[in-house]
């Protein structure tokens, strides 16, 4: 059937949702090879390279990385069923939609969740972690479970500070962190922060198509798994450990996605370097925020120390629906923006700036948003794209600022709300 001319869209689609992200041609080419025998010698090499490379991406030297042919939700489940038992208490934080979904899953597994309420504009409060754990003298809380980067809000929690709070409370709970939209975009340090289980997915900072997910388990988590009584078969770490030793999996792995993963590891660790990847993300995020401020719009995240380098969530002015706005942008500019999720539906749109992105892709995205705001009749000031370009042209300034930010994010002493706070409007959501 012939496509009507009016629906033809020339040029490339701009996929600027906060995941799945743009898959670089190099990775697409790497995936496009014949599937091999997953029990043969060639596969063993591939499996080992992926498992070892992922340890480096998580910044871990001990423990084990598990790779599942599944989306991130599967890896959430794997983290729970491998470490916990029915009736265990866990501490979770309502940072947004994904934290709320993970909590729903924990409850469905019969865990008793202490869910610390939040306003979807802040990250996990380390002081709340410390006080909750100090009160738990009997050590009934078995795990503290946080989302590192809340993809629904663009707020990044300070996991290094959460770890310090746990230490200050001298509490033995496991620390589980969802890094689905932070890994390979925002600095994450599995060993240094003594994270016990990190959960990740392929379709965001790793620049792969959806379909792979990960558990990065510490030695303490592996020990806990020996006594965990929640039922599991497909997700069982125990079943994986043996075959993984020689690069194999207990069931048919997603071979072609692993080809892609090997290429992504090469790009992230060796060609660009992880810390340069984090700098690039921070610089683009900062340019994005320059644009939003110039437009006179409001960033959802209220604490600059918790700004996300992966995405920016932006409040629409009262009376302007984000879904209709995104439709205008998609129809006119072939640019996909992220929807407002759950209670943010209608109110907030999100711009993903993670994964395989350069300055021109960012500026193209910003042009689409700025033109869309005008077409949709939103009250705003022009000049966002120009403000972002000014920032990007600073080059070295952007990179220097990035280094400071990454250091601050991992050093709690510097990460104060007040010191870095810039005046913002603050509407309830
Ligand atoms: N956690 C976070 C922070 C996410 O952003 C997502 C998805 O975007 C998920 C969990 C769920 O992952 P998936 O949709 O791959 O199952």
């Amino acid at each position: 059937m012939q496509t009507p001319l009016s629906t033809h869209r020339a040029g490339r689609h701009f996929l600027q949702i906060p995941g799945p992200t743009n898959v670089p041609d190099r990775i697409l080419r790497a995936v496009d090879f014949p599937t091999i025998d997953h029990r043969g010698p060639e596969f063993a090499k591939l499996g080992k390279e992926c498992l070892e490379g992922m340890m480096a991406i998580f910044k871990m030297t001990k423990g084990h990385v598990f790779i599942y042919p599944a989306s991130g939700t599967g890896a959430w489940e794997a983290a729970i069923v491998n470490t916990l038992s029915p009736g265990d208490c866990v501490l979770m934080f309502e940072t947004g939609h994904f934290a709320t979904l993970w909590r729903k899953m924990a409850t469905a597994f019969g865990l008793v969740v202490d869910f610390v309420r939040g306003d979807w504009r802040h990250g996990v409060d380390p002081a709340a972690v410390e006080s909750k754990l100090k009160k738990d003298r009997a050590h009934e809380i078995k795990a503290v479970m946080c989302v590192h980067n809340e993809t629904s809000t663009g707020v990044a929690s300070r996991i290094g500070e959460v770890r310090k709070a746990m230490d200050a409370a001298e509490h033995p709970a496991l620390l589980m962190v969802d890094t689905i939209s932070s890994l390979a975009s925002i600095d994450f340090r599995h060993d240094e922060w003594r994270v016990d289980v990190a959960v990740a997915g392929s379709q965001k900072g790793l620049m792969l198509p959806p379909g792979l997910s990960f558990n990065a388990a510490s030695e303490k988590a592996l020990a806990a798994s020996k006594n965990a009584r929640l039922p599991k078969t497909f997700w069982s770490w125990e079943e994986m450990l043996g075959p993984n030793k020689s690069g194999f999996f207990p069931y048919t792995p997603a071979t072609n996605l692993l080809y892609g993963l090997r290429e992504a590891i090469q790009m992230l660790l060796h060609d660009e370097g992880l810390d340069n990847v984090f700098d690039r993300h921070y610089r683009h995020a900062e340019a994005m925020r320059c644009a939003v401020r110039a437009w006179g719009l409001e960033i959802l995240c209220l604490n600059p120390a918790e700004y996300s380098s992966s995405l920016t969530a932006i409040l629409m002015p009262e009376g302007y629906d984000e879904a209709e706005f995104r439709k205008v942008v998609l129809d006119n500019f072939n640019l996909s923006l992220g929807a407002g999720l759950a209670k943010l539906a209608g109110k907030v749109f999100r711009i993903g700036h993670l994964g395989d992105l350069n300055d021109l892709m960012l500026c193209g995205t910003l042009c689409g948003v700025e033109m869309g705001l005008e077409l949709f009749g939103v009250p705003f000031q022009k000049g966002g794209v120009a403000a972002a370009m000014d920032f990007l042209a600073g080059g070295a300034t952007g990179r220097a600022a990035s280094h400071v930010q990454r250091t601050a994010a991992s050093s709690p002493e510097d990460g104060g709300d007040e010191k870095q706070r810039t005046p913002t409007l603050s509407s309830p959501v």
Side-chain angles (χ1 to χ4, degrees):
M1 200 173 70
Q2 206 169 356
T3 315
L5 278 180
S6 59
T7 64
H8 173 72
R9 286 174 172 158
R12 129 187 207 292
H13 175 66
F14 271 67
L15 180 67
Q16 297 309 140
I17 57 174
T21 62
N22 297 293
V23 181
D25 287 352
R26 258 179 82 172
I27 291 184
L28 288 174
R29 296 293 83 82
V31 169
D32 181 16
F33 273 86
T35 305
I36 52 174
D37 172 11
H38 60 286
R39 312 222 187 261
E42 204 184 327
F43 185 91
K45 191 167 172 290
L46 170 68
K48 276 194 169 166
E49 280 173 7
C50 289
L51 290 163
E52 282 161 18
M54 285 309 294
M55 298 264 298
I57 289 192
F58 281 108
K59 295 195 175 178
M60 65 193 281
T61 52
K62 300 171 293 227
H64 193 82
V65 173
F66 298 91
I67 306 180
Y68 296 104
S71 85
T73 304
W76 265 350
E77 181 163 331
I80 290 175
V81 296
N82 280 290
T83 55
L84 298 166
S85 300
D88 277 353
C89 297
V90 297
L91 182 60
M92 300 181 87
F93 299 84
E94 188 200 1
T95 48
H97 179 57
F98 291 102
T100 305
L101 287 180
W102 203 12
R103 179 246 188 151
K104 193 173 156 204
M105 178 186 277
T107 309
F109 275 109
L111 302 178
V112 179
V113 183
D114 183 353
F115 196 48
V116 178
R117 294 288 165 187
D119 63 359
W120 293 39
R121 303 193 72 172
H122 289 88
V124 175
D125 177 7
V129 175
E130 187 172 335
S131 90
K132 285 274 181 192
L133 294 184
K134 274 190 171 153
K135 282 188 201 132
D136 178 36
R137 293 209 183 83
H139 293 170
E140 278 177 6
I141 296 173
K142 299 300 174 210
V144 174
M145 298 165 69
C146 313
V147 175
H148 186 192
N149 185 72
E150 228 329 322
T151 323
S152 61
T153 64
V155 176
S157 288
R158 288 159 290 168
I159 302 302
E161 290 185 46
V162 170
R163 164 45 71 198
K164 291 212 168 168
M166 292 176 70
D167 289 348
E170 295 180 10
H171 198 288
L174 296 170
L175 174 58
M176 299 208 213
V177 183
D178 170 338
T179 68
I180 286 178
S181 60
S182 60
L183 194 76
S185 306
I186 300 173
D187 198 4
F188 176 77
R189 307 175 185 187
H190 198 280
D191 276 0
E192 189 182 319
W193 298 337
R194 301 198 330 278
V195 173
D196 293 299
V197 189
V199 173
S202 55
Q203 73 273 28
K204 311 231 181 202
L206 293 176
M207 309 174 291
L208 294 166
L212 289 181
S213 58
F214 308 86
N215 276 180
S218 69
E219 285 174 332
K220 184 172 160 185
L222 292 173
S225 73
K226 304 263 181 278
N227 303 315
R229 284 180 286 102
L230 280 169
K232 57 202 149 281
T233 55
F234 180 77
W235 305 114
S236 170
W237 290 352
E238 188 63 35
E239 299 295 325
M240 281 269 208
L241 282 167
N244 274 185
K245 275 193 197 121
S246 39
F248 295 117
F249 290 80
Y251 39 70
T252 314
T255 308
N256 291 59
L257 286 178
L258 295 174
Y259 292 153
L261 179 60
R262 177 167 58 186
E263 191 69 14
I265 290 168
Q266 172 65 33
M267 291 170 76
L268 293 164
L269 289 182
H270 308 297
D271 297 348
E272 187 169 4
L274 258 193
D275 286 344
N276 294 328
V277 171
F278 301 141
D279 284 354
R280 173 168 58 79
H281 279 76
Y282 174 74
R283 184 167 164 273
H284 285 153
E286 198 54 34
M288 173 65 62
R289 294 187 284 266
C290 290
V292 178
R293 288 189 199 104
W295 288 327
L297 298 181
E298 189 181 348
I299 297 170
L300 184 66
C301 176
L302 282 177
N303 177 3
E306 296 176 330
Y307 279 155
S308 167
S309 288
S310 302
L311 77 139
T312 303
I314 301 163
L315 280 155
M316 286 298 274
E318 196 66 39
Y320 293 84
D321 185 89
E322 58 81 18
E324 289 172 29
F325 165 66
R326 286 184 301 101
K327 184 173 183 324
V328 166
V329 170
L330 179 62
D331 290 349
N332 287 278
F333 308 116
N334 202 8
L335 161 63
S336 289
L337 298 170
L341 298 177
K343 72 174 190 177
L344 300 177
K347 298 176 183 168
V348 162
F349 69 97
R350 298 170 300 145
I351 307 179
H353 34 78
L354 74 166
D356 186 45
L357 199 76
N358 63 23
D359 290 7
L360 291 188
M361 292 159 86
L362 184 84
C363 288
T365 303
L366 289 170
C367 283
V369 174
E370 188 158 327
M371 291 190 291
L373 289 169
E374 176 141 41
L375 265 182
F376 193 51
V378 175
F380 82 110
Q381 281 132 37
K382 285 190 189 173
V385 179
M389 283 166 60
D390 276 354
F391 175 82
L392 292 172
T397 324
R399 276 191 289 281
S402 159
H403 180 70
V404 172
Q405 167 82 7
R406 284 198 296 106
T407 316
S410 54
S411 310
E413 305 85 66
D414 308 337
D417 220 297
E418 297 311 321
K419 247 193 280 178
Q420 298 191 46
R421 192 185 285 280
T422 49
T424 48
L425 302 166
S426 109
S427 344
V429 291

